[in-house]
């Protein structure tokens, strides 16, 4: 069942080669992500499941070894999810959020457990997200989650979604819920509001809530949360949290 979780933002700018001269601006976020992944490693999982926002309807599974690339962002950089995949397998390419996750795992030299990934539609309704999470949270063995997703993209006039006065309160509540591992608050995040605020993390965060709830229902111990980073560079809310 679920034994630990890390929550990280997923902008390609998190990758220094993509950010180029602006890379130092996200040094704090990168360091926090490394710390969060350390919490996952310390939990000694048997399997790591990565969840991030995707553009396909429903949800799409990616096996270990799936390739990702940042060539679309002008950088000659390729990544791979975890270790090598099945010999001769023609694996589909990771969406950007999961490519960032693959880069993070390579960055820390992840070799603690096999990896698989799941891209969830950013418009997927909360009930579906929670159901997907419950399935993950009740799997046999020790399961860890790496949850990728951003808060609102409307925090300033220059933000990708322009300024929206609802953005800061949305991010504040999400940060509080992640800090306190408040499952009910994560489940209650408004899908329509999140879409309007371009908050890509809403669906993955609700998968996390479902996984934690499923583990509790199966007799597991509830996880405690810690918020490691909370800022809005470029007008986008970036949150890093660790549950253990």
């Amino acid at each position: 069942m679920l034994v630990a979780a890390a929550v990280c933002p997923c902008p390609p700018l998190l990758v220094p080669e993509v950010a180029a001269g602006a890379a130092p601006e996200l040094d704090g976020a990168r360091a926090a992500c490394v710390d969060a992944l350390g919490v996952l490693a310390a939990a000694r999982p048997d399997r790591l499941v990565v969840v991030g926002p995707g553009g396909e309807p429903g949800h799409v599974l990616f096996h270990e070894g799936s390739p990702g690339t940042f060539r679309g962002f002008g950088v000659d950089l390729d990544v791979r999810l975890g270790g090598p995949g099945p010999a001769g397998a023609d694996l589909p390419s990771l969406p950007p959020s999961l490519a960032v996750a693959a880069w993070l795992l390579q960055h820390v030299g992840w070799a603690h457990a096999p990896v698989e990934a799941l891209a969830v539609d950013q418009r997927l309704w909360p009930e579906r997200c929670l159901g997907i999470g419950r399935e993950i949270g009740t799997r046999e063995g020790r399961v860890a989650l790496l949850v990728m997703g951003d808060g609102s993209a409307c925090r300033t006039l220059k933000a990708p979604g322009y300024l929206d006065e609802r953005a800061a309160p949305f991010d504040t509540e999400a940060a509080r819920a992640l800090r306190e591992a408040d499952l009910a608050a994560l489940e209650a995040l408004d899908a329509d509001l999140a879409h309007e605020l371009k908050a890509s993390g809403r669906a993955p965060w609700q998968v996390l809530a479902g996984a934690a709830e499923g583990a509790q229902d199966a007799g597991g111990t509830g996880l405690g949360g810690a918020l490691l980073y909370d800022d809005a560079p470029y007008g986008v809310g970036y949150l890093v949290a660790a549950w253990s």
Side-chain angles (χ1 to χ4, degrees):
M1 63 181 61
L2 183 69
V3 295
V7 175
C8 295
C10 59
L13 288 173
L14 203 63
V15 179
E17 292 88 339
V18 175
E25 296 179 21
L26 289 180
D27 280 348
R30 291 187 198 95
C33 290
V34 170
D35 290 343
L37 288 171
V39 171
L40 298 187
R44 297 175 290 105
D46 299 315
R47 176 162 295 277
L48 175 63
V49 180
V50 184
V51 180
E56 298 294 326
H59 57 284
V60 181
L61 176 67
F62 293 87
H63 296 286
E64 186 156 32
S66 294
T69 185
F70 294 96
R71 296 175 188 269
F73 300 96
V75 176
D76 185 13
L77 176 64
D78 298 323
V79 292
R80 183 180 65 194
L81 182 68
D90 184 16
L91 299 173
S93 185
L94 300 167
S97 68
L98 297 181
V100 173
W103 175 84
L104 276 173
L105 293 171
Q106 289 183 192
H107 180 62
V108 301
W110 180 268
H112 305 282
V115 185
E116 65 184 60
L118 197 65
V120 293
D121 184 353
Q122 297 181 47
R123 296 302 307 273
L124 200 64
W125 284 107
E127 292 79 8
R128 292 280 307 281
C129 296
L130 296 171
I132 293 168
R134 290 189 188 100
E135 186 278 324
I136 295 171
T138 54
R139 291 183 183 180
E140 293 185 2
R142 299 174 63 83
V143 178
L145 268 179
L146 172 56
V147 182
M148 309 298 293
D150 301 340
S152 70
C154 304
R155 292 279 291 272
T156 65
L157 293 173
K158 294 183 179 181
Y162 196 66
L163 177 64
D164 190 314
E165 293 181 354
R166 302 171 297 173
F170 178 91
D171 288 345
T172 296
E173 175 60 7
R176 184 201 65 77
L178 292 171
R179 181 181 65 247
E180 300 177 8
D182 186 337
L183 306 187
L186 290 175
E187 293 174 11
L189 291 175
D190 188 294
D192 288 330
L193 176 60
H195 178 69
E196 292 171 11
L197 297 176
K198 304 184 185 301
S200 67
R202 189 276 307 172
W205 298 338
Q206 288 180 330
V207 171
L208 167 60
E213 186 177 76
Q216 288 183 8
D217 290 345
T221 303
L223 303 181
L227 189 66
L228 308 182
Y229 183 87
D230 178 5
D231 203 355
Y234 318 115
V236 182
Y238 295 150
L239 302 170
V240 180
W243 290 13
S244 62

